Amino acid sequence: MSPKRIRLLIWKEFKQLRRDPLLLRIIFAMPILQLIMFGYVVAADVTHLPTAVVDLDHSAVSRQVEDAFAGSGYFVISAHPASEAAVRPLMDTGAVSVAVVVPEGTEAALTRGESAPVAVIVDGADGTTSGVALSYATQIVQQVNTRRLAAAGVDTSAVPGLDARVRVQFNPTLRSLNTMLPGLIGLICMISIVVVMSQAVVKERESGTLEQMFVTPITPAEYLTGKTVPYALVASAQALLVAVVGVTWFRVPFNGSIWVVVVGLVLFMLTVLGLGLLVSLVSRTRHQAQQTIMFLMLPAMVLSGFIFPLESMPSVLLPVAYAIPLTHVLVVMRGAFVHGAGFGDLAGPLAALAGFAVAVFGAALVAVNRRLKG
Amino acid sequence: MRRSLARIGAITAKEFRHLVRDPRALGVVLLLPVLELLLFAYAISFDVDHVPTVVLDQDQSAASRAYLTAYSSSDFFDVRGTVSGLDQIDELFRQNRIRVAVVVPPGFGRTLAEGGQGRVAVLVDGADTQAAAVGKAYATALNVQYGARLAATWTDRQGGGAATASAGMLEPRMRTWYNPERRSSLFLIPGLVVVIIMIVTVQQTATSLVRERDLHTREQMQVSPLRPAELTIGKMLPWTLLAFVDLGVIVALGLGVFGVPFRGSVPVFVLASTVFILACLALGLIVSAVSPSLETANILALVIAFLPSFLLSGFAFPLSSVPGWLRAVSYLFPARYMVTISHGVFLKGAGFAELALPLAQLSVYAVVAASVATLLSRRRAR
């Protein structure tokens, strides 16, 4: 191992990166774009749902219901169709996604002491919204009831009941960005290393510079170091950029230890570097390498729990999810950022990451050695 | 004209031969959509259940045990065990072993017997906000129900229930249109069609065009009688055909295997898909024209095809909740219009009248994108 030769190789790699000015710009713009998109889209809480109110009762109660919906912040009353039939075209075109129908005779029924139905219709074509809208609507109708009971002066003090405090620990405002950002750091490391790294060796093979390399005194170990270090550095810079922008601009709290994050990321980077090298070695052309990456990356994004919680996955798929390194780095990053967890708490996922790093990077080393010697 | 068609045909045949010779590329184009469909249909849902839960019963009374059974008998909470102290709960949270903890403080049973409000605390882990939001809602609902049950038992025991019957209650009746069981696959698959087509067409056309340039076969083409437009059309035709094959496969799987309904107009869907595929091809052409290298084309396609179609199309994440400026950005990508159309024809039974607006927008988009693509690639060729 000659440090000078490694330095030259690294310098060569950076020079090649700089030759394509657009690439470098995209490499550093991409994490920020992702941060903004994931931060604002996936992290968006369901609010301001366009809502139609069909008031067939025209009474104090129906106005109370409408005010409760309008004042909740979750619904924006955007239409007042004259009948329930008129809701259909509004929902067909997607102009509203919720409709509240107060039938005729509601107030009369209530004054007789009977219960009166209020219909809440949600657009099931949008699964996430419809579920959330239903639970908000239930809460709002219950609030109207409570307020009416209180106004009627009903004495409920002697009735036993529950005083339940449902509290969210660690991220009390349920701000999704706080949990999205730590995951995004891992994801960006993976995308940028795997996408660029997988091209690195194939490119040299395609253009024939790999053979030229072998007639020089460079050893396989030096070649490997020179090849991986630049991309690891670029990915670390990206991760740092996302972390800094996230913590300073988006005000994501960091509760844990930096060392946990560093150890977790280093182990993870070794794994993805190995993965990129392996893909590069089994592909004959850059196009093939890129396609293989697409094939691997999508399941990783979907099954790792980055967007969709692991709890919502069928249990048959859980072993697959745990076979993905990204799943474990997500646990480590979220643990450190949100829970403030230390090495002891995260021993399990860190050990899994170490295992992946040894297995994948080891396999890549063996494969590269064999290829370079043979 | 006839000669021109023959030349385009020759290029298309050449492209197909490239494809067949590279089985991995063909596999990606034909298998990736199926794999994605299976993944999304089976793995993804926001319907969280079996949330790992522990309980801490500091009261140890009949009432507290009865209350805690409400959790173990629900499908949502998966009660993994009982702990003996609050510090243990904290540790389990940090080790990521539980998502919810229920604490019943001492005196719970006595308070209820005296007709008071029994205090309980439900702690939800906020580290996964999706799961936490659902968990919070479920816990609240469970407690409201249990409280109502307590009150009802009490009123029964009082005989007649003098206190609550004097005022009528509003009763919410919930209905979900188009997708009454709210199955995630039903709304994800129509959107997924769009996402997959966009990824496959934009990325594949962009990279295959750049590769041609990289291998310098383009110069060879230019000395042939081929006109640039013929070359481009010939190169893009195979991808257009493959995009339609993908579309057919996904729609067939969705309808046949996953029971997604098709309630709307078939011609509208075919027309819209054609315009959409053309728009995607134009985007692919734009990417190839501005990218100096294959890596750049690759990452650029990822940035403009993958992320926006996934996040800014309304396919899984509602656009009504994102900030206005970002909603404006979503109009820059064709997936947004197509997802609206797709949801309309699959689930809502929409026809031409309901979808005229997004169709018109999509058509304008396709024309603009195609013009920009032509302009850029002409400048590039010079």
Side-chain angles (χ1 to χ4, degrees), chain A residues 131-338:
Chain A
V132 181
L134 284 182
S135 75
Y136 288 155
T138 320
Q139 285 176 29
I140 290 171
V141 174
Q142 297 303 352
Q143 277 168 16
V144 175
N145 277 330
T146 322
R147 235 175 283 155
R148 281 179 44 80
L149 275 182
V154 176
D155 181 27
T156 52
S157 61
V159 185
L162 280 182
D163 171 16
R165 308 273 163 89
V166 181
R167 251 186 310 161
V168 177
Q169 299 277 86
F170 304 111
N171 181 15
T173 49
L174 273 188
R175 191 164 167 247
S176 311
L177 198 59
N178 293 358
T179 65
M180 192 60 80
L181 178 93
L184 196 59
I185 296 177
L187 184 77
I188 284 172
C189 278
M190 182 177 92
I191 292 184
S192 85
I193 290 188
V194 170
V195 167
V196 188
M197 189 70 224
S198 65
Q199 308 277 309
V201 183
V202 196
K203 190 164 75 182
E204 301 225 22
R205 191 131 45 101
E206 259 188 6
S207 52
T209 45
L210 196 62
E211 279 73 28
Q212 290 172 17
M213 205 68 84
F214 296 152
V215 294
T216 64
I218 293 168
T219 65
E222 288 164 6
Y223 177 73
L224 206 63
T225 321
K227 213 59 197 177
T228 48
V229 165
Y231 300 107
L233 283 179
V234 170
S236 310
Q238 285 179 310
L240 193 68
L241 180 70
V242 173
V244 168
V245 172
V247 171
T248 55
W249 177 260
F250 288 101
R251 308 215 170 276
V252 173
F254 180 77
N255 300 321
S257 125
I258 294 225
W259 291 110
V260 174
V261 172
V262 170
V263 169
L265 276 184
V266 165
L267 290 173
F268 181 63
M269 274 195 210
L270 278 177
T271 313
V272 285
L273 280 173
L275 193 69
L277 275 174
L278 281 177
V279 170
S280 210
L281 287 172
V282 296
S283 308
R284 268 180 297 124
T285 64
R286 278 188 277 171
H287 202 218
Q288 274 192 347
Q290 171 236 321
Q291 316 229 293
T292 315
I293 290 304
M294 281 302 282
F295 224 108
L296 291 173
M297 229 158 53
L298 233 130
M301 248 179 87
V302 172
L303 293 177
S304 61
F306 175 60
I307 300 175
F308 307 97
L310 286 182
E311 278 89 0
S312 67
M313 238 170 254
S315 45
V316 220
L317 280 173
L318 282 179
V320 184
Y322 285 117
I324 297 171
L326 187 63
T327 313
H328 301 278
V329 86
L330 279 183
V331 174
V332 173
M333 299 296 285
R334 278 190 187 152
F337 266 80
V338 186

Side-chain angles (χ1 to χ4, degrees), chain A residues 20 22-23 26 30 33-34 36-38 40-42 44-47 49-50 61 65 84 87-88 91-94 106 110 113-131 134 137-138 141 144-145 148-149 154-155 157-171 174-176 179 191 195-196 199 203 282-283 286-288 290-292 294-295 298-299 301-303 307-309 311-314 317 331 334 338-341 345, chain B residues 22 24-25 27-28 31-32 35-36 39-40 42-52 67 90 93-96 99 108 112 115-133 136 139-140 143 146-147 150-151 154 163 165-179 182 187 199 203-204 207 211 214 290-296 298-300 302-303 306-308 310-312 316-318 320-323 325-326 343 347-348 354:
Chain A
D20 185 344
L22 198 58
L23 183 66
I26 297 174
M30 189 171 72
L33 279 177
Q34 281 177 319
I36 291 174
M37 282 201 204
F38 280 107
Y40 281 114
V41 179
V42 181
D45 301 310
V46 177
T47 52
L49 291 168
V61 176
V65 170
E84 207 185 310
V87 172
R88 194 91 211 185
M91 221 173 253
D92 277 350
T93 51
T106 299
L110 288 181
E114 292 163 14
S115 64
V118 173
V120 178
I121 306 166
V122 297
D123 179 353
D126 190 340
T128 27
T129 319
S130 61
L134 284 182
T138 320
V141 174
V144 175
N145 277 330
R148 281 179 44 80
L149 275 182
V154 176
D155 181 27
S157 61
V159 185
L162 280 182
D163 171 16
R165 308 273 163 89
V166 181
R167 251 186 310 161
V168 177
Q169 299 277 86
F170 304 111
N171 181 15
L174 273 188
R175 191 164 167 247
S176 311
T179 65
I191 292 184
V195 167
V196 188
Q199 308 277 309
K203 190 164 75 182
V282 296
S283 308
R286 278 188 277 171
H287 202 218
Q288 274 192 347
Q290 171 236 321
Q291 316 229 293
T292 315
M294 281 302 282
F295 224 108
L298 233 130
M301 248 179 87
V302 172
L303 293 177
I307 300 175
F308 307 97
E311 278 89 0
S312 67
M313 238 170 254
L317 280 173
V331 174
R334 278 190 187 152
V338 186
H339 290 158
D345 300 317
Chain B
D22 188 356
R24 216 186 297 179
V28 167
L31 280 181
L32 192 66
L35 178 81
E36 275 178 57
L39 265 183
F40 277 83
Y42 283 121
I44 293 186
S45 69
F46 292 104
D47 318 333
V48 181
D49 53 8
H50 296 294
V51 171
Y67 169 71
D90 255 13
F93 270 133
R94 265 202 293 275
Q95 289 171 356
N96 212 36
R99 287 261 176 271
F108 175 78
L112 283 188
Q117 309 281 305
R119 281 184 54 184
V120 290
V122 181
L123 309 175
V124 183
D125 181 5
D128 189 320
T129 37
Q130 297 274 7
K136 198 176 153 194
T140 312
N143 280 295
Y146 196 82
L150 282 176
W154 179 83
S166 60
M169 301 282 250
L170 283 172
E171 214 180 281
R173 297 268 167 85
M174 304 304 182
R175 267 179 285 165
T176 308
W177 277 0
Y178 313 119
N179 182 7
R182 297 204 285 109
F187 81 88
I199 296 175
Q203 185 122 27
Q204 297 303 328
T207 47
R211 189 163 57 142
D214 264 20
V290 298
S291 309
S293 72
L294 193 61
E295 282 90 339
T296 317
N298 215 341
I299 294 190
L300 201 60
L302 203 76
V303 169
F306 188 84
L307 284 176
F310 202 76
L311 294 171
L312 285 180
F317 310 100
S320 57
S321 324
V322 305
W325 59 269
L326 202 57
H343 276 161
L347 298 174
K348 299 188 175 179
E354 288 86 4

